[in-house]
Amino acid sequence: MMTGLAWALAEDWDKLRETETLWGGVSAVMADMTDMDSLCRAFDGCTGVFHTSSSLDPGGISGYSKHMAEIEARAAERVIEACVRTESVRKCVFTSSLLACTWRQSDPRHRRVVDESCWSDEQLCRDKKLWYALGKTMAEKAAWEAAARGRRDLKLATVCPALVTGSGFHRRNITASIAYLKGAREMFAEGLLVTVDVEKLAGAHVSIYEAMSSHACGRYICYDRVIERGEEAEELERRLGIPSRILLSGETAAAPCSPSSELSNQKLFRLMNSGRKCTFDVYSDLT
């Protein structure tokens, strides 16, 4: 049996405790992400771990800094190492980000396909100060490297979701949305500005976790909507309450002209719609 685990700041503890009465078989546990023993105690008795944590700095302008990127990478490594050390844990589903796949130098002469084999260029992220993309890239790589160092019977899969939206969700997570949308105008122009509803993302996590017992493995890109027109970009900004992230103030809403990139989520689509066995992708090729 897998016990539900949740981490949060102390002020959220009462809200988490409510889940114990709302959902049977769920225990709310407070763990220190910097303390290996604390993580191992939290994981003890669980067969699976869903790591959905993200380090944010509410005091920062964008909510995410270069320092936060380094913290998140270290935390990801500790979580996987704790999974390896905890005998009961057999599977881990790790939430990364689509931004860990998309930020690479593009060649205007060729239309590129972005899929699970793609990794963002860390130096490019540093040059553009895309700290959220850098942090997610570093954290996911650290997770795979820690799993490779550990015992062979821990199964790891990573989910790379688009900008997460949903009824009320984006308003409660505005800091993360602002951090994600740094560089949004470039993403929009390249055809890589996409979103995913939080309920569909949760469903994808569950589907991947369940399929890990047989064939699911590697990385999975997750999105359900491509922002293709200026009107859609304006609507997204309105719903998020953060104008001028995608379109400049007063800019005419126009569709991207011949996007240079094409995004693929076929691997996740196949998993959720068929029993097709996994074809091992190059998630271990971290270069």
Side-chain angles (χ1 to χ4, degrees):
M1 178 178 180
M2 183 177 68
T3 302
L5 299 179
W7 296 269
L9 299 174
E11 57 264 29
D12 295 326
W13 183 241
D14 289 339
K15 294 180 181 178
L16 287 176
R17 293 300 299 270
E18 292 176 3
T19 62
E20 295 181 323
T21 57
L22 291 174
W23 302 326
V26 173
S27 299
V29 179
M30 185 73 73
D32 184 349
M33 299 290 286
T34 66
D35 186 336
M36 180 67 66
D37 291 337
S38 176
L39 288 169
C40 289
R41 287 193 298 271
F43 295 165
D44 188 34
C46 298
T47 57
V49 171
F50 291 81
H51 178 67
T52 61
S53 175
S54 178
S55 299
L56 292 175
D57 177 13
I61 295 175
S62 71
Y64 205 99
S65 63
K66 182 179 180 181
H67 180 58
M68 290 293 104
E70 295 166 352
I71 290 175
E72 185 157 4
R74 290 196 298 270
E77 183 177 32
R78 289 192 190 95
V79 166
I80 301 304
E81 288 180 352
C83 288
V84 170
R85 293 187 187 187
T86 307
E87 289 297 324
S88 63
V89 176
R90 293 290 179 265
K91 298 183 286 187
C92 177
V93 179
F94 183 98
T95 307
S96 179
S97 172
L98 179 60
L99 299 185
C101 308
T102 56
W103 285 103
R104 299 190 64 84
Q105 293 286 1
S106 59
D107 185 345
R109 297 171 299 176
H110 300 94
R111 183 179 174 87
R112 65 169 177 151
V113 175
V114 177
D115 60 16
E116 288 81 7
S117 68
C118 299
W119 288 92
S120 288
D121 184 326
E122 291 184 30
Q123 189 56 53
L124 178 66
C125 292
R126 290 187 176 93
D127 293 343
K128 291 179 174 289
K129 294 182 171 54
L130 300 167
W131 306 128
Y132 191 78
L134 176 65
K136 290 301 183 180
T137 304
M138 291 171 58
E140 189 184 352
K141 286 183 178 181
W144 283 117
E145 289 166 354
R149 292 194 303 268
R151 69 172 195 272
R152 293 182 180 274
D153 60 343
L154 174 69
K155 294 183 178 181
L156 174 65
T158 59
V159 186
C160 300
L163 175 66
V164 183
T165 59
S167 179
F169 178 84
H170 45 270
R171 292 288 185 178
R172 295 193 300 270
N173 295 270
I174 191 66
T175 306
S177 297
I178 292 173
Y180 185 102
L181 288 172
K182 189 171 184 180
R185 282 190 285 276
E186 190 172 339
M187 286 189 277
F188 179 58
E190 291 190 12
L192 295 175
L193 182 59
V194 293
T195 64
V196 60
D197 182 83
V198 64
E199 293 189 7
K200 291 184 179 179
L201 177 58
H205 277 72
V206 173
S207 295
I208 291 167
Y209 177 83
E210 292 176 343
M212 287 172 73
S213 297
S214 55
H215 61 273
C217 56
R219 310 173 80 202
Y220 292 87
I221 286 177
C222 183
Y223 69 93
D224 60 11
R225 184 186 178 192
V226 181
I227 306 301
E228 298 181 293
R229 302 189 306 275
E231 294 84 355
E232 293 175 303
E234 287 182 330
E235 174 61 18
L236 178 61
E237 288 184 332
R238 187 192 64 77
R239 287 193 292 118
L240 293 174
I242 45 176
S244 301
R245 293 287 167 174
I246 307 168
L247 301 174
L248 296 174
S249 180
E251 184 178 3
T252 302
C257 180
S258 300
S260 58
S261 301
E262 177 184 349
L263 193 59
S264 171
N265 64 349
Q266 287 301 304
K267 185 180 176 187
L268 180 61
F269 180 83
R270 290 194 298 266
L271 181 143
M272 298 186 72
N273 290 277
S274 74
R276 183 179 184 275
K277 290 187 177 181
C278 172
T279 53
F280 285 86
D281 51 34
V282 293
Y283 60 86
S284 59
D285 181 5
L286 302 182
T287 59

